Amino acid sequence: EVQLVESGGGLVQPGGSLRLSCAASGFTFSSYWMHWVRQAPGKGLVWVSRINSDGSSTSYADSVKGRFTISRDNAKNTLYLQMNSLRAEDTAVYYCAREATGTFYLWGQGTLVTVSS
Amino acid sequence: DIQMTQSPSSLSASVGDRVTITCQASQDISNYLNWYQQKPGKAPKLLIYDASNLETGVPSRFSGSGSGTDFTFTISSLQPEDIATYYCQQYDNLPPAFGGGTKVEIK
């Protein structure tokens, strides 16, 4: 089955760190650019970060630049998001998404990150 | 960055009604526009890509049109299972930007 499964979310204090994972299966993970998109409670979708197929190129939203790092392990078919210096406004469901020609064709189920003391 | 303005933010319609949602880009994005459906507690699902192409398996009552800066998404005959929030998304430039969403409810 073609799917993406996120994990690693949870409750973290402001200033803390968390690493999200996204396990891919059912397709050739190394062929696709991958993204993280987040959704604060009751709010809309916001793009967070992107990585190309071999991991050599990354991009970030201004709101997370310098704090978040996207990476991937194509041997393990896994995408990561290392989140440092977390703030209350980072509280959201984080989705990983598979992209082709700018379109998000496949999404994971999401993992909730709550930043609170 | 390109801004996407979606309207209305919510609407209520009866089963069988025609529903139309608009999305306006802050600059010309050609046809680099997608539409997604998100049901409560679920991940978004692609419905329309490249402004007017129906994703495989999506019912034909969904359609999209437009180019440049103005786009339209239509449900030709609203069904109870269409209750969801709908988002447009541009991919002409980084960062990919989503509209604010339109919540569709049954009257």
Side-chain angles (χ1 to χ4, degrees):
Chain A
E1 181 185 1
V2 174
Q3 63 177 355
L4 298 169
V5 178
E6 300 95 336
S7 60
L11 175 63
V12 60
Q13 292 188 338
S17 298
L18 213 53
R19 188 177 83 156
L20 306 183
S21 299
C22 169
S25 59
F27 64 96
T28 306
F29 178 69
S30 59
S31 296
Y32 291 90
W33 291 33
M34 298 294 296
H35 297 247
W36 289 98
V37 175
R38 70 185 181 183
Q39 186 171 37
K43 302 297 185 181
L45 302 167
V46 177
W47 176 80
V48 173
S49 183
R50 177 207 75 182
I51 188 167
N52 69 346
S53 56
D54 67 5
S56 62
S57 175
T58 59
S59 300
Y60 298 92
D62 288 344
S63 59
V64 307
K65 202 171 294 182
R67 301 187 298 123
F68 289 12
T69 302
I70 190 171
S71 63
R72 65 192 297 161
D73 185 335
N74 285 343
K76 294 183 177 180
N77 292 333
T78 303
L79 174 72
Y80 302 101
L81 186 67
Q82 177 67 44
M83 304 186 296
N84 299 331
S85 303
L86 282 161
R87 307 166 179 167
E89 55 265 36
D90 296 318
T91 294
V93 173
Y94 284 74
Y95 296 100
C96 60
R98 187 185 81 181
E99 179 236 313
T101 59
T103 299
F104 302 123
Y105 284 92
L106 180 67
W107 297 69
Q109 86 287 353
T111 187
L112 176 62
V113 172
T114 303
V115 184
S116 175
S117 54
Chain B
D1 294 0
I2 296 174
Q3 310 301 318
M4 305 302 294
T5 303
Q6 198 174 326
S7 62
S9 57
S10 65
L11 65 89
S12 182
S14 299
V15 172
D17 281 355
R18 183 181 185 88
V19 169
T20 299
I21 298 168
T22 64
C23 185
Q24 185 171 60
S26 59
Q27 64 188 65
D28 190 333
I29 59 169
S30 185
N31 68 330
Y32 300 135
L33 190 284
N34 302 318
W35 291 95
Y36 301 86
Q37 176 193 65
Q38 186 179 33
K39 295 184 177 181
K42 300 295 186 182
K45 173 188 173 184
L46 176 68
L47 299 181
I48 303 285
Y49 64 95
D50 296 348
S52 60
N53 294 301
L54 196 66
E55 171 67 342
T56 302
V58 173
S60 59
R61 63 179 179 275
F62 297 101
S63 65
S65 64
S67 66
T69 61
D70 295 301
F71 302 86
T72 300
F73 172 82
T74 300
I75 307 173
S76 61
S77 177
L78 185 67
Q79 299 302 304
E81 59 267 32
D82 300 336
I83 299 314
T85 301
Y86 294 84
Y87 294 92
C88 61
Q89 174 242 329
Q90 73 81 22
Y91 58 96
D92 183 52
N93 282 336
L94 269 184
F98 295 88
T102 298
K103 186 175 184 178
V104 174
E105 299 175 321
I106 295 289
K107 192 181 293 183

